[in-house]
Short mmCIF file of all heavy atoms in Angstrom, two decimals:
data_model
loop_
_atom_site.label_atom_id
_atom_site.label_comp_id
_atom_site.label_asym_id
_atom_site.label_seq_id
_atom_site.Cartn_x
_atom_site.Cartn_y
_atom_site.Cartn_z
N THR A 1 -10.55 -10.26 -0.26
CA THR A 1 -10.80 -11.05 0.94
C THR A 1 -12.30 -11.28 1.12
O THR A 1 -13.10 -10.81 0.33
CB THR A 1 -10.19 -10.34 2.18
OG1 THR A 1 -10.35 -11.17 3.32
CG2 THR A 1 -10.87 -9.00 2.47
N GLY A 2 -12.67 -11.99 2.16
CA GLY A 2 -14.09 -12.27 2.46
C GLY A 2 -14.48 -13.67 2.06
O GLY A 2 -13.77 -14.34 1.30
N LYS A 3 -15.62 -14.14 2.57
CA LYS A 3 -16.10 -15.51 2.33
C LYS A 3 -16.30 -15.78 0.84
O LYS A 3 -16.03 -16.86 0.34
CB LYS A 3 -17.41 -15.71 3.09
CG LYS A 3 -17.81 -17.18 3.26
CD LYS A 3 -18.99 -17.31 4.21
CE LYS A 3 -19.68 -18.64 4.12
NZ LYS A 3 -18.89 -19.78 4.54
N THR A 4 -16.77 -14.74 0.10
CA THR A 4 -16.99 -14.91 -1.34
C THR A 4 -15.97 -14.11 -2.16
O THR A 4 -16.16 -13.89 -3.35
CB THR A 4 -18.42 -14.47 -1.73
OG1 THR A 4 -18.58 -13.08 -1.38
CG2 THR A 4 -19.47 -15.29 -1.01
N CYS A 5 -14.89 -13.66 -1.51
CA CYS A 5 -13.82 -12.87 -2.16
C CYS A 5 -14.38 -11.64 -2.87
O CYS A 5 -13.94 -11.28 -3.96
CB CYS A 5 -13.04 -13.72 -3.17
SG CYS A 5 -12.29 -15.19 -2.46
N ASN A 6 -15.37 -11.01 -2.25
CA ASN A 6 -16.00 -9.84 -2.89
C ASN A 6 -15.57 -8.53 -2.24
O ASN A 6 -16.04 -7.47 -2.62
CB ASN A 6 -17.53 -9.97 -2.86
CG ASN A 6 -18.08 -9.96 -1.45
OD1 ASN A 6 -17.36 -10.23 -0.49
ND2 ASN A 6 -19.35 -9.66 -1.31
N GLN A 7 -14.69 -8.61 -1.22
CA GLN A 7 -14.26 -7.39 -0.54
C GLN A 7 -12.82 -7.07 -0.88
O GLN A 7 -11.99 -7.97 -0.99
CB GLN A 7 -14.38 -7.57 0.98
CG GLN A 7 -15.80 -7.74 1.48
CD GLN A 7 -15.83 -8.38 2.87
OE1 GLN A 7 -14.85 -8.35 3.59
NE2 GLN A 7 -16.94 -8.99 3.21
N ASP A 8 -12.55 -5.78 -1.01
CA ASP A 8 -11.18 -5.32 -1.26
C ASP A 8 -10.36 -5.49 0.02
O ASP A 8 -10.82 -5.16 1.10
CB ASP A 8 -11.23 -3.84 -1.67
CG ASP A 8 -9.84 -3.22 -1.69
OD1 ASP A 8 -8.98 -3.74 -2.40
OD2 ASP A 8 -9.62 -2.21 -0.99
N LEU A 9 -9.15 -6.04 -0.11
CA LEU A 9 -8.25 -6.18 1.02
C LEU A 9 -7.46 -4.89 1.16
O LEU A 9 -6.84 -4.43 0.20
CB LEU A 9 -7.29 -7.36 0.79
CG LEU A 9 -6.18 -7.57 1.83
CD1 LEU A 9 -6.74 -8.05 3.14
CD2 LEU A 9 -5.15 -8.56 1.31
N ASN A 10 -7.50 -4.27 2.35
CA ASN A 10 -6.74 -3.04 2.57
C ASN A 10 -5.31 -3.42 2.95
O ASN A 10 -5.00 -3.64 4.11
CB ASN A 10 -7.40 -2.21 3.66
CG ASN A 10 -6.66 -0.91 3.91
OD1 ASN A 10 -5.68 -0.59 3.24
ND2 ASN A 10 -7.12 -0.14 4.87
N GLU A 11 -4.45 -3.51 1.93
CA GLU A 11 -3.06 -3.92 2.16
C GLU A 11 -2.32 -2.94 3.06
O GLU A 11 -1.36 -3.30 3.74
CB GLU A 11 -2.28 -4.05 0.83
CG GLU A 11 -2.74 -5.17 -0.06
CD GLU A 11 -3.86 -4.79 -1.01
OE1 GLU A 11 -4.44 -3.68 -0.86
OE2 GLU A 11 -4.15 -5.57 -1.91
N CYS A 12 -2.77 -1.67 3.06
CA CYS A 12 -2.10 -0.63 3.87
C CYS A 12 -2.25 -0.91 5.37
O CYS A 12 -1.47 -0.43 6.17
CB CYS A 12 -2.67 0.74 3.53
SG CYS A 12 -2.39 1.19 1.79
N GLY A 13 -3.26 -1.69 5.74
CA GLY A 13 -3.48 -2.01 7.15
C GLY A 13 -2.78 -3.28 7.59
O GLY A 13 -2.87 -3.67 8.75
N LEU A 14 -2.07 -3.94 6.67
CA LEU A 14 -1.38 -5.19 7.01
C LEU A 14 -0.13 -4.94 7.84
O LEU A 14 0.44 -3.86 7.82
CB LEU A 14 -0.98 -5.95 5.73
CG LEU A 14 -2.09 -6.48 4.83
CD1 LEU A 14 -1.51 -7.08 3.57
CD2 LEU A 14 -2.94 -7.53 5.55
N ASN A 15 0.28 -5.96 8.58
CA ASN A 15 1.51 -5.92 9.36
C ASN A 15 2.45 -7.01 8.88
O ASN A 15 2.03 -8.16 8.86
CB ASN A 15 1.20 -6.10 10.85
CG ASN A 15 1.67 -4.91 11.66
OD1 ASN A 15 2.53 -4.16 11.23
ND2 ASN A 15 1.08 -4.73 12.83
N PRO A 16 3.67 -6.80 8.46
CA PRO A 16 4.28 -5.47 8.35
C PRO A 16 3.68 -4.67 7.19
O PRO A 16 3.18 -5.24 6.24
CB PRO A 16 5.75 -5.80 8.08
CG PRO A 16 5.71 -7.15 7.41
CD PRO A 16 4.54 -7.87 8.00
N ARG A 17 3.75 -3.33 7.31
CA ARG A 17 3.19 -2.47 6.27
C ARG A 17 3.96 -2.65 4.97
O ARG A 17 5.18 -2.78 4.98
CB ARG A 17 3.22 -1.01 6.72
CG ARG A 17 2.23 -0.75 7.86
CD ARG A 17 2.16 0.72 8.22
NE ARG A 17 1.52 1.47 7.14
CZ ARG A 17 2.02 2.60 6.66
NH1 ARG A 17 3.13 3.09 7.12
NH2 ARG A 17 1.40 3.23 5.70
N PRO A 18 3.25 -2.66 3.83
CA PRO A 18 3.95 -2.91 2.55
C PRO A 18 4.77 -1.72 2.04
O PRO A 18 5.60 -1.89 1.16
CB PRO A 18 2.81 -3.23 1.58
CG PRO A 18 1.61 -2.55 2.15
CD PRO A 18 1.80 -2.52 3.64
N CYS A 19 4.53 -0.55 2.60
CA CYS A 19 5.24 0.65 2.13
C CYS A 19 6.05 1.26 3.27
O CYS A 19 5.63 1.22 4.42
CB CYS A 19 4.26 1.70 1.61
SG CYS A 19 3.19 1.09 0.29
N GLU A 20 7.18 1.87 2.89
CA GLU A 20 8.03 2.48 3.92
C GLU A 20 7.42 3.76 4.48
O GLU A 20 7.42 3.98 5.67
CB GLU A 20 9.41 2.77 3.31
CG GLU A 20 10.45 3.13 4.36
CD GLU A 20 11.81 3.40 3.77
OE1 GLU A 20 12.07 3.02 2.61
OE2 GLU A 20 12.64 3.99 4.48
N HIS A 21 6.87 4.61 3.60
CA HIS A 21 6.31 5.88 4.05
C HIS A 21 4.79 5.88 3.94
O HIS A 21 4.10 5.55 4.88
CB HIS A 21 6.88 7.06 3.23
CG HIS A 21 8.28 7.40 3.60
ND1 HIS A 21 8.94 8.47 3.06
CD2 HIS A 21 9.17 6.82 4.45
CE1 HIS A 21 10.17 8.54 3.55
NE2 HIS A 21 10.34 7.53 4.40
N ARG A 22 4.29 6.25 2.77
CA ARG A 22 2.84 6.37 2.57
C ARG A 22 2.30 5.22 1.75
O ARG A 22 2.93 4.77 0.81
CB ARG A 22 2.51 7.67 1.82
CG ARG A 22 2.49 8.89 2.68
CD ARG A 22 2.07 10.05 1.79
NE ARG A 22 2.00 11.29 2.52
CZ ARG A 22 1.94 12.48 1.95
NH1 ARG A 22 1.97 12.56 0.64
NH2 ARG A 22 1.85 13.57 2.66
N CYS A 23 1.09 4.79 2.11
CA CYS A 23 0.45 3.70 1.38
C CYS A 23 -0.94 4.16 0.97
O CYS A 23 -1.66 4.76 1.76
CB CYS A 23 0.35 2.49 2.31
SG CYS A 23 -0.42 1.05 1.55
N MET A 24 -1.32 3.91 -0.27
CA MET A 24 -2.66 4.25 -0.74
C MET A 24 -3.34 2.97 -1.21
O MET A 24 -2.85 2.31 -2.12
CB MET A 24 -2.62 5.27 -1.88
CG MET A 24 -3.99 5.71 -2.32
SD MET A 24 -3.91 6.86 -3.69
CE MET A 24 -5.60 7.38 -3.80
N ASN A 25 -4.44 2.63 -0.54
CA ASN A 25 -5.18 1.43 -0.93
C ASN A 25 -5.95 1.70 -2.21
O ASN A 25 -6.54 2.75 -2.37
CB ASN A 25 -6.14 1.03 0.20
CG ASN A 25 -6.82 -0.30 -0.09
OD1 ASN A 25 -6.16 -1.28 -0.44
ND2 ASN A 25 -8.12 -0.33 0.04
N THR A 26 -5.93 0.75 -3.14
CA THR A 26 -6.73 0.86 -4.36
C THR A 26 -7.56 -0.42 -4.46
O THR A 26 -7.31 -1.37 -3.73
CB THR A 26 -5.84 0.98 -5.62
OG1 THR A 26 -5.03 -0.19 -5.72
CG2 THR A 26 -4.96 2.22 -5.58
N TYR A 27 -8.55 -0.45 -5.33
CA TYR A 27 -9.42 -1.61 -5.44
C TYR A 27 -8.62 -2.82 -5.95
O TYR A 27 -8.16 -2.82 -7.08
CB TYR A 27 -10.61 -1.30 -6.36
CG TYR A 27 -11.73 -2.30 -6.23
CD1 TYR A 27 -12.44 -2.41 -5.04
CD2 TYR A 27 -12.07 -3.14 -7.28
CE1 TYR A 27 -13.46 -3.33 -4.91
CE2 TYR A 27 -13.10 -4.07 -7.16
CZ TYR A 27 -13.79 -4.15 -5.96
OH TYR A 27 -14.81 -5.07 -5.82
N GLY A 28 -8.41 -3.80 -5.08
CA GLY A 28 -7.68 -5.00 -5.45
C GLY A 28 -6.17 -4.88 -5.40
O GLY A 28 -5.46 -5.81 -5.72
N SER A 29 -5.67 -3.71 -4.99
CA SER A 29 -4.22 -3.51 -4.95
C SER A 29 -3.87 -2.36 -4.01
O SER A 29 -4.67 -1.96 -3.16
CB SER A 29 -3.70 -3.24 -6.36
OG SER A 29 -2.28 -3.28 -6.36
N TYR A 30 -2.66 -1.81 -4.15
CA TYR A 30 -2.21 -0.66 -3.36
C TYR A 30 -1.04 -0.01 -4.07
O TYR A 30 -0.46 -0.59 -4.99
CB TYR A 30 -1.80 -1.09 -1.95
CG TYR A 30 -0.54 -1.93 -1.91
CD1 TYR A 30 0.70 -1.34 -1.64
CD2 TYR A 30 -0.58 -3.30 -2.14
CE1 TYR A 30 1.87 -2.11 -1.63
CE2 TYR A 30 0.58 -4.07 -2.13
CZ TYR A 30 1.79 -3.47 -1.87
OH TYR A 30 2.94 -4.23 -1.87
N LYS A 31 -0.71 1.22 -3.65
CA LYS A 31 0.45 1.91 -4.22
C LYS A 31 1.24 2.55 -3.09
O LYS A 31 0.68 2.99 -2.10
CB LYS A 31 -0.01 3.00 -5.19
CG LYS A 31 -0.66 2.43 -6.43
CD LYS A 31 -0.34 3.26 -7.65
CE LYS A 31 -0.79 2.50 -8.89
NZ LYS A 31 -0.59 3.21 -10.11
N CYS A 32 2.56 2.57 -3.26
CA CYS A 32 3.45 3.18 -2.27
C CYS A 32 3.85 4.58 -2.71
O CYS A 32 4.07 4.82 -3.89
CB CYS A 32 4.71 2.34 -2.09
SG CYS A 32 4.40 0.72 -1.35
N TYR A 33 3.95 5.50 -1.73
CA TYR A 33 4.39 6.87 -1.97
C TYR A 33 5.36 7.29 -0.89
O TYR A 33 5.32 6.75 0.21
CB TYR A 33 3.19 7.84 -2.03
CG TYR A 33 2.54 7.64 -3.33
CD1 TYR A 33 1.60 6.65 -3.47
CD2 TYR A 33 3.00 8.27 -4.46
CE1 TYR A 33 1.10 6.31 -4.69
CE2 TYR A 33 2.50 7.94 -5.69
CZ TYR A 33 1.56 6.98 -5.80
OH TYR A 33 1.09 6.64 -7.02
N CYS A 34 6.20 8.23 -1.21
CA CYS A 34 7.20 8.70 -0.25
C CYS A 34 6.83 10.09 0.24
O CYS A 34 6.15 10.85 -0.44
CB CYS A 34 8.57 8.74 -0.91
SG CYS A 34 9.13 7.10 -1.40
N LEU A 35 7.30 10.40 1.44
CA LEU A 35 7.13 11.75 1.99
C LEU A 35 7.94 12.72 1.14
O LEU A 35 8.86 12.32 0.42
CB LEU A 35 7.62 11.80 3.44
CG LEU A 35 6.81 10.98 4.45
CD1 LEU A 35 7.56 10.85 5.76
CD2 LEU A 35 5.45 11.62 4.68
N ASP A 36 7.57 13.98 1.23
CA ASP A 36 8.26 14.98 0.42
C ASP A 36 9.75 14.99 0.77
O ASP A 36 10.12 14.87 1.94
CB ASP A 36 7.63 16.35 0.66
CG ASP A 36 7.90 17.27 -0.50
OD1 ASP A 36 7.98 16.77 -1.63
OD2 ASP A 36 8.06 18.47 -0.27
N GLY A 37 10.56 15.10 -0.24
CA GLY A 37 12.00 15.09 -0.04
C GLY A 37 12.60 13.70 -0.21
O GLY A 37 13.80 13.52 -0.07
N TYR A 38 11.76 12.73 -0.52
CA TYR A 38 12.22 11.36 -0.75
C TYR A 38 11.73 10.87 -2.10
O TYR A 38 10.73 11.35 -2.62
CB TYR A 38 11.69 10.42 0.34
CG TYR A 38 12.32 10.65 1.69
CD1 TYR A 38 11.83 11.63 2.53
CD2 TYR A 38 13.41 9.89 2.10
CE1 TYR A 38 12.41 11.85 3.77
CE2 TYR A 38 14.00 10.10 3.34
CZ TYR A 38 13.50 11.09 4.17
OH TYR A 38 14.07 11.30 5.39
N MET A 39 12.44 9.90 -2.65
CA MET A 39 12.09 9.34 -3.94
C MET A 39 11.73 7.88 -3.80
O MET A 39 12.35 7.16 -3.02
CB MET A 39 13.30 9.40 -4.87
CG MET A 39 13.25 10.51 -5.87
SD MET A 39 14.82 10.55 -6.72
CE MET A 39 14.74 9.05 -7.62
N LEU A 40 10.72 7.43 -4.54
CA LEU A 40 10.32 6.03 -4.52
C LEU A 40 11.32 5.22 -5.35
O LEU A 40 11.54 5.50 -6.51
CB LEU A 40 8.90 5.87 -5.08
CG LEU A 40 8.30 4.47 -4.99
CD1 LEU A 40 8.05 4.07 -3.55
CD2 LEU A 40 6.98 4.41 -5.75
N MET A 41 11.87 4.19 -4.72
CA MET A 41 12.82 3.31 -5.41
C MET A 41 12.06 2.11 -5.98
O MET A 41 10.95 1.80 -5.54
CB MET A 41 13.91 2.83 -4.43
CG MET A 41 14.65 3.99 -3.75
SD MET A 41 15.26 5.25 -4.88
CE MET A 41 16.71 4.44 -5.52
N PRO A 42 12.66 1.41 -6.98
CA PRO A 42 11.96 0.27 -7.61
C PRO A 42 11.48 -0.80 -6.62
O PRO A 42 10.48 -1.46 -6.85
CB PRO A 42 13.01 -0.30 -8.56
CG PRO A 42 13.93 0.84 -8.84
CD PRO A 42 13.96 1.66 -7.60
N ASP A 43 12.18 -0.97 -5.47
CA ASP A 43 11.78 -1.99 -4.50
C ASP A 43 10.71 -1.51 -3.53
O ASP A 43 10.33 -2.22 -2.61
CB ASP A 43 13.01 -2.51 -3.73
CG ASP A 43 13.63 -1.44 -2.83
OD1 ASP A 43 13.22 -0.26 -2.92
OD2 ASP A 43 14.51 -1.80 -2.03
N GLY A 44 10.22 -0.28 -3.72
CA GLY A 44 9.15 0.25 -2.86
C GLY A 44 9.66 1.03 -1.67
O GLY A 44 8.89 1.61 -0.93
N SER A 45 11.00 1.08 -1.49
CA SER A 45 11.57 1.85 -0.37
C SER A 45 11.70 3.31 -0.79
O SER A 45 11.53 3.66 -1.96
CB SER A 45 12.92 1.27 0.04
OG SER A 45 13.85 1.42 -1.02
#
């Protein structure tokens, strides 16, 4: 994001949130994680 596209977009702060449980922002992307006792499914749930 940004005027010159030089800033990382924090997808975890978007609405609706991209992950059901935990979201970890990475440079240019993000990853979904589940709370303990849950498994990450291919669709991110």
Side-chain angles (χ1 to χ4, degrees):
T1 185
K3 197 171 163 66
T4 60
C5 302
N6 64 340
Q7 294 160 21
D8 169 57
L9 174 70
N10 181 3
E11 293 88 350
C12 298
L14 295 175
N15 239 339
R17 291 185 69 227
C19 304
E20 192 179 344
H21 286 185
R22 279 183 179 165
C23 180
M24 184 182 189
N25 186 49
T26 61
Y27 195 65
S29 190
Y30 69 97
K31 292 215 170 177
C32 294
Y33 284 86
C34 296
L35 293 167
D36 203 33
Y38 290 84
M39 258 173 68
L40 186 67
M41 304 310 282
D43 66 352
S45 65

